[in-house]
Amino acid sequence: IYSSEDLENLSNAIFEHTSYGKILFNQVINLTDDNNPTDGIINVDDYINLSFNRIEIDTAYLLNLNRSATLSISNLTYTNPRIAMNGQTCPSSICTKQSYSGGVLIFNVTHFTYYNAEESPSGGVTTAGGDSILSSPESNFDVDVENIEISLKQGKSTKKDVMIRLGEMVAELHD
């Protein structure tokens, strides 16, 4: 049994469903300050969702759980998982992958919303040092270009933006 003071200053708090995943808070959390602090009830079951390939906290209700944390998603079968946030690839400014081994993906997040994992596509656009690089599982592709004209004096160079479209995939290359 925890006192109110204990619940207001929980450090290294863990919420876990052993079959699906775990949340380890990296900061002290106050579990007593929800959206109705006067009712004396903290209902984490209704507002924390740890289910297959899903970790979510309703921070509209559990206000003080919108903190940085280390998340683990278990029982995955991906070859190369990537982290998704609200159904989109999570940016590295919010999600940082620590490891993936034995079907367990471990990553850090800066705040809470809905997170899951998905298989990384075998082709896609990757950013490296400011340039975009297009990779594709296709070994070749056709480029239909009407005109590319560049006039340069010998020994000079220039950079131009180019867009390559492969079906639904688009790569924009910028100088």
Side-chain angles (χ1 to χ4, degrees), residues 83-102:
I83 305 158
M85 176 182 80
N86 299 326
Q88 302 292 320
T89 302
C90 189
S92 60
S93 60
I94 296 172
C95 300
T96 307
K97 184 176 176 180
Q98 283 188 4
S99 65
Y100 179 63
S101 177

Side-chain angles (χ1 to χ4, degrees), residues 76 78-83 97 100 105 117-120:
L76 298 175
Y78 299 122
T79 302
N80 183 23
R82 68 178 176 193
I83 305 158
K97 184 176 176 180
Y100 179 63
L105 175 63
E118 58 191 21
E119 186 66 68
S120 294

Side-chain angles (χ1 to χ4, degrees), residues 4-171:
S4 289
E5 285 181 14
D6 292 335
L7 294 174
E8 291 171 2
N9 294 295
L10 288 173
S11 58
N12 299 316
I14 297 174
F15 293 91
E16 182 173 14
H17 187 296
T18 55
S19 297
Y20 301 125
K22 175 170 62 174
I23 302 167
L24 166 63
F25 284 95
N26 300 324
Q27 300 172 300
V28 172
I29 61 169
N30 177 354
L31 199 54
T32 65
D33 191 13
D34 60 14
N35 73 342
N36 189 0
T38 60
D39 68 358
I41 299 170
I42 308 298
N43 185 348
V44 296
D45 284 340
D46 286 349
Y47 300 100
I48 296 177
N49 181 352
L50 286 163
S51 55
F52 178 72
N53 195 16
R54 184 180 188 98
I55 296 179
E56 179 179 18
I57 295 179
D58 182 347
T59 56
Y61 181 80
L62 298 171
L63 311 170
N64 281 314
L65 298 190
N66 198 10
R67 303 278 186 261
S68 66
T70 301
L71 308 183
S72 302
I73 300 177
S74 304
N75 292 316
L76 298 175
T77 58
Y78 299 122
T79 302
N80 183 23
R82 68 178 176 193
I83 305 158
M85 176 182 80
N86 299 326
Q88 302 292 320
T89 302
C90 189
S92 60
S93 60
I94 296 172
C95 300
T96 307
K97 184 176 176 180
Q98 283 188 4
S99 65
Y100 179 63
S101 177
V104 178
L105 175 63
I106 301 173
F107 57 101
N108 293 321
V109 298
T110 60
H111 69 278
F112 262 92
T113 187
Y114 152 50
Y115 296 99
N116 69 304
E118 58 191 21
E119 186 66 68
S120 294
S122 57
V125 177
T126 312
T127 300
D131 296 326
S132 295
I133 302 162
L134 176 68
S135 63
S136 173
E138 304 296 323
S139 60
N140 57 41
F141 59 91
D142 294 326
V143 178
D144 182 11
V145 179
E146 290 182 27
N147 268 329
I148 295 179
E149 288 184 30
I150 299 174
S151 297
L152 295 174
K153 291 185 179 185
Q154 187 173 359
K156 298 292 181 181
S157 64
T158 188
K159 293 183 179 183
K160 295 289 179 191
D161 292 345
V162 177
M163 182 183 291
I164 300 171
R165 181 179 303 273
L166 297 172
E168 299 283 322
M169 189 183 328
V170 175

